[in-house]
Structures are given as structure tokens and as C-alpha cells.
Amino acid sequence: MGLKFVSDPECADILIINTCGFIESAKKESFDALFAARKAYPNAKILFCGCLAERYAADLKDALPEADAIFGNGDISRIEEIIFALEKDSRPVNVYKQIGVCSGDRKILFGYRGSAFVKVTEGCSNHCSFCAIPLIRGELRSRRAADIVLEVKNLIERGIVEINLIGQDLASYGRGKNDAVFEDEDADSLEDGSSRPCKNDENSKKSALLRLLEMLCEIEGAFFIRLLYIHPDNFPRDILPFMKREKKVLPYFDIPFQSGDDAIIHAMNRKGSSQSYQALVRDIKRELPNAVLRTTFLTGFPGESEEAFKNTEIFLKTIKSDWSGCFAYSREEGTPSYSFKNRVAAKIAKGRANLLSKIQQEITRNALKKWIGKSLVVLIEEVIEGDEGLAVGRAWFQAVDVDGSVVVRYEKDSETERKLVKPGRFVQVKVVSSSDVDLDAVFECDSDKNSVRPSGDSTVSLAFATELDADIKE
């Protein structure tokens, strides 16, 4: 359309604010961003888009004059219509019918160099009673596997080494009502999403997520795959033995358990129980002893008594998740739990979330100590400007933006180290200390080969990294 991306908002004719409408605190943050942008850049056109815009477009049309346009995320490919309307000084407010999964070639990747997110599903059909995602993003639908493989290939050719697969529920990939994600599936036979007639008997026994991972791991190149967000009720256990064999898929699991009390789990419209969720963790650890677990807890759900919260506390101490997010319940209109009785006071809910966070902090602190004195392969995200050599990166057990980091110290006077410690590049480091969430490390380098290689106790999940060296694309 002749538009050019600029990183400085002072130079922008159009500012895009991508919003979240999931919980109350996220809504407030989205509105605050809009008001701050309008005050700071009064001459720019502001496009208010994303989940909050999708959910409340009709209400915001007259109530939000600070936004020059309101654009939901049902079909973001129609952004041109919004831009044309803005150029004509009209005020478009549009929410389009939800399509499959918005995807396609991205000229600009806004994440850290070397890392990219790849969406494989959109929407969710689990209908947890507290969750507004089905209201905002609709029922589950999945991308065709061949399209995902093509996107990943293109990203790897561009120098991406970390592929983060995302969706509201990766476990349900290929199980949407109208999904036919593989070439050998009979799309005309789809009825309720429970089965996928397949010409290959062997493939018909596999979960769709496993088949997708098999296809992705056949791609040539040095890269690894991280799975983000797998609903515990739908977890496909057949991916575990595959992950044990295939080192390109990191043994990192993001599984939102939400509660450790059976009555609350049931009230959340979930099929599992505290015991079944603990069994899932045991199965993962049995197959992958070095597996890292991230989870989420929701405190203050209607009806959560002190005893119910205590059960969640015990559950957390039992599973010993490496990372977790703990949030107070947000009462969202349109969700079943909105009308539930026995509501918990906000102050109590927040206090419980803080207590779980403190427990998790202690668990994480102790887990990180085991890395002191060991070597790790780290993906550098950012080099800090200053007199001393300082960079920030992540090891395999740290997901982008949500987990801790590895602070890497290197000799800035060394031309070799300056050349190797760059964003998007793997380096080998030795951990010297740890904090509540981060690791401190010093750069290690094989000076004879001028390359970076793992050694000693580096995680087996990055065994493939022994073949990586300084010629990784930047």
C-alpha cells in the first residue's frame, strides 16, 4: 500500500495498538496505552485493534473517541479497508466474520532475532467457564500442516533457530469441527471433530500434533521447536516418546492447570482432576526426566474456599513446576462463571495469587541452583551497550518473555568474543550464579576452532547444537 514501518512513533502517521481483552487488568493496560498514545502523539491516526477491539467494538464506537479506528481480529487480512477509510478521514469500526487462522508471510518479525512464533490454531472449543477466548476468537480451527511446514522452512532460511508453536490449545490441533489438516484426510467425512478418516492406518493412530511435529522435524537445518500452551485435558501422550527420540523438540511444556482442587477444576468445566493432572506430570517426567514445566494458576474462582486453595497450594508443591503464572480471577461478562455465586473477595484472591507466586519463586530459585558451575548453550537476545561486555539470552528451559534469562558476561576487548556474542546467535556459557529467576554466566569459547560448542553437562535436549557454530545466519 506504499506504507513503511517506522520504529519511532514520532515519525508515524498511523499508530497501531494491539490489545488484550482476556482479563480486567489487561483491558486496563490496553486503554492506558491508547490514552498515553493519544496524549503523546496528537497528530497521528490511532488504530485500536486486537482482542479488546474484537470483543467490545459496538460499545467502543461512541465511547472511545481517542481511537481513529477500531478493528477486531476476526479477519486481519482486511486491514487495507481500514487504512483506506483512515486516509479518507472517516472513522471505521469493523469486526469481520472470523476466518480460519490468520497467517501468511511476514516481512517484519517483531520478536527477538533468531526466534519466531508460528500460529497453528485459532480459537478454542474447551469452553472453560472462566474464559472469554471462545467469545473473542471463536471455536477451534487449525491450519493445514503443509502451510505450517512451508512457513517454518521459510523462517529457518531467514536465520530463525527457535520456532515457538502457539495457539489457544496446541493439544487440540486438527480436532476442530471442520479441520482437515493433512493431505490424506477425508474432509467430506468430518462430523464432530472426534475422528479424522485417514488413508494410512499408521497415521490414523497418531495425534495430529504428533504428525505435525514429525513433519516439522524432517525439515533440514539447525533449529529447535518449543510448544506453548497445551490444555491438560487434551494432552496427547504419544508426543512424549517422539520427543525423547527427536532432539529438535525441546522438553518444555506449558500446561495451564489453573487449580489443584477437584471441585474447582470441575466448576471450571474441565474434565481432569488433581490426581489425573499429577499423573500427567509423572508421565512426562518418566519419559523425559529433564523436562521443564510451566503452568498457570487462577485464584479466587467462585466457590474457592480456604480448603480448596490449600489443595492448590499442595498441588503446586507436589508437581514442582519450574515456572508458573499466578493470577486472581477476573469476572468476565458472557462467560458461564460470571453468574456463579459464592464469589471470593478480590483482596483474598490477590493474596492467594501472591502466596502461590512466593511458593513458585522458592521452587524456581532451588531449580536454578543446579545449573551453577555447568555449561549451557544460550540464544543471545540482546547485547547491552556499555563499557563492559554484557548480553542477555535464554537457555532451552526459558521461554521468550515469560521465563527468566541468562545474563552473559564476555570480554568486550576480545574481537573474537565480540564477533560471536550477537543477537540470534548461540553461544556456550558457564553459569556462575543464580537469582530468583535469572542465571549469571560467563562466555566460553573453543578458541582453536573459533566456534561455540556445548560440553560437559549441557542439556541433551540441545545435543543437536554440537553441530552449530559461528556461521549461523544472523
Side-chain angles (χ1 to χ4, degrees):
M1 297 181 65
L3 296 173
K4 181 178 70 173
F5 171 74
V6 292
S7 58
D8 184 357
E10 288 280 3
C11 304
D13 297 305
I14 300 174
L15 300 177
I16 300 176
I17 297 180
N18 193 26
T19 66
C20 178
F22 185 55
I23 57 177
E24 193 62 36
S25 59
K27 297 176 193 174
K28 182 179 184 302
E29 184 177 348
S30 298
F31 285 125
D32 288 346
L34 170 64
F35 300 146
R38 173 49 70 212
K39 182 177 180 180
Y41 313 106
N43 297 322
K45 299 283 189 180
I46 297 182
L47 174 54
F48 195 72
C49 63
C51 284
L52 189 61
E54 175 78 17
R55 188 176 180 187
Y56 298 109
D59 298 324
L60 298 176
K61 181 176 182 179
D62 298 321
L64 205 63
E66 292 83 0
D68 296 291
I70 298 173
F71 179 48
N73 53 21
D75 183 358
I76 60 175
S77 68
R78 301 179 71 170
I79 183 68
E80 290 189 22
E81 299 174 30
I82 300 295
I83 300 300
F84 281 132
L86 277 177
E87 290 179 340
K88 295 178 181 178
D89 290 326
S90 64
R91 188 172 182 272
V93 177
N94 293 289
V95 176
Y96 297 104
K97 181 179 179 181
Q98 291 161 336
I99 61 171
V101 182
C102 289
S103 57
D105 184 34
R106 289 169 283 171
K107 302 298 182 184
I108 300 174
L109 298 175
F110 291 100
Y112 292 106
R113 185 179 296 182
S115 180
F117 295 98
V118 176
K119 181 174 286 189
V120 301
T121 68
E122 184 65 276
C124 185
S125 297
N126 290 307
H127 293 280
C128 296
S129 61
F130 59 85
C131 183
I133 286 177
L135 300 174
I136 301 171
R137 294 185 176 266
E139 297 295 313
L140 174 79
R141 56 256 191 222
S142 307
R143 287 177 68 187
R144 293 185 64 81
D147 294 338
I148 298 171
V149 171
L150 180 61
E151 180 179 3
V152 171
K153 282 183 177 179
N154 291 337
L155 288 169
I156 293 169
E157 290 175 358
R158 293 171 63 179
I160 298 298
V161 290
E162 179 185 44
I163 302 294
N164 298 281
L165 298 186
I166 60 170
Q168 276 75 50
D169 180 16
L170 292 184
S172 296
Y173 173 71
R175 295 174 59 184
K177 185 176 181 180
N178 298 309
D179 283 351
V181 296
F182 300 106
E183 298 297 332
D184 58 358
E185 289 179 335
D186 184 359
D188 294 332
S189 301
L190 306 183
E191 294 180 357
D192 60 358
S194 61
S195 64
R196 292 289 176 269
C198 177
K199 299 174 184 178
N200 186 313
D201 290 338
E202 182 179 349
N203 284 337
S204 66
K205 299 174 184 178
K206 300 176 181 178
S207 68
L209 181 59
L210 173 58
R211 292 188 63 188
L212 175 63
L213 292 177
E214 289 176 336
M215 294 172 66
L216 292 175
C217 288
E218 290 177 358
I219 300 174
E220 294 183 0
F223 67 96
F224 57 88
I225 298 169
R226 188 185 304 277
L227 306 177
L228 294 179
Y229 203 93
I230 303 179
H231 194 292
D233 290 347
N234 307 321
F235 191 99
R237 280 174 166 78
D238 63 354
I239 68 173
L240 297 177
F242 174 76
M243 293 174 68
K244 186 175 183 179
R245 299 190 306 271
E246 179 50 71
K247 306 307 179 185
K248 283 184 176 178
V249 186
L250 298 179
Y252 180 102
F253 299 91
D254 182 359
I255 309 173
F257 291 117
Q258 305 299 0
S259 176
D261 179 80
D262 288 351
I264 296 299
I265 293 171
H266 179 75
M268 289 178 170
N269 195 34
R270 293 184 158 214
K271 303 180 184 68
S273 66
S274 176
Q275 290 302 314
S276 68
Y277 292 163
Q278 290 179 48
L280 172 57
V281 174
R282 288 195 298 270
D283 289 347
I284 292 172
K285 293 287 188 178
R286 185 182 303 112
E287 199 74 45
L288 299 161
N290 293 324
V292 163
L293 175 65
R294 160 167 277 280
T295 189
T296 306
F297 292 105
L298 189 64
T299 60
F301 187 83
E304 184 186 60
S305 62
E306 285 295 333
E307 181 182 1
F309 173 69
K310 187 67 177 179
N311 288 335
T312 298
E313 186 180 336
I314 294 171
F315 178 82
L316 172 56
K317 292 178 179 178
T318 300
I319 65 170
K320 289 185 170 62
S321 50
D322 298 85
W323 313 96
S324 73
C326 307
F327 305 95
Y329 169 73
S330 178
R331 186 169 175 248
E332 296 298 318
E333 64 275 12
T335 63
S337 66
Y338 184 82
S339 58
F340 284 7
K341 298 179 180 180
N342 300 320
R343 280 188 273 165
V344 178
K347 183 177 181 180
I348 294 176
K350 186 175 181 180
R352 290 173 178 173
N354 290 338
L355 179 56
L356 290 183
S357 295
K358 290 181 180 179
I359 295 172
Q360 181 63 68
Q361 189 177 57
E362 181 178 359
I363 295 172
T364 301
R365 184 191 308 118
N366 291 332
L368 291 177
K369 287 179 180 178
K370 69 182 179 184
W371 297 107
I372 297 176
K374 296 183 179 180
S375 295
L376 283 174
V377 174
V378 172
L379 178 62
I380 298 297
E381 291 183 329
E382 182 181 5
V383 175
I384 307 300
E385 297 295 332
D387 295 333
E388 61 176 326
L390 203 62
V392 178
R394 288 180 295 109
W396 68 269
F397 49 84
Q398 297 165 320
V400 62
D401 284 337
V402 292
D403 299 331
S405 301
V406 180
V407 178
V408 179
R409 302 179 188 279
Y410 66 98
E411 292 296 331
K412 197 168 184 179
D413 294 334
S414 167
E415 182 179 355
T416 298
E417 296 192 19
R418 287 201 314 272
K419 181 179 178 181
L420 294 177
V421 182
K422 290 183 178 180
R425 200 185 274 277
F426 281 120
V427 299
Q428 180 183 310
V429 302
K430 184 174 183 178
V431 180
V432 294
S433 66
S434 64
S435 65
D436 289 344
V437 293
D438 299 322
L439 295 173
D440 277 304
V442 293
F443 177 82
E444 285 187 334
C445 179
D446 182 345
S447 57
D448 292 334
K449 297 182 180 180
N450 194 31
S451 63
V452 178
R453 299 180 182 278
S455 63
D457 294 321
S458 292
T459 171
V460 294
S461 69
L462 280 179
F464 74 89
T466 58
E467 303 303 319
L468 296 178
D469 57 23
D471 65 1
I472 293 175
K473 294 180 183 178
E474 296 182 12

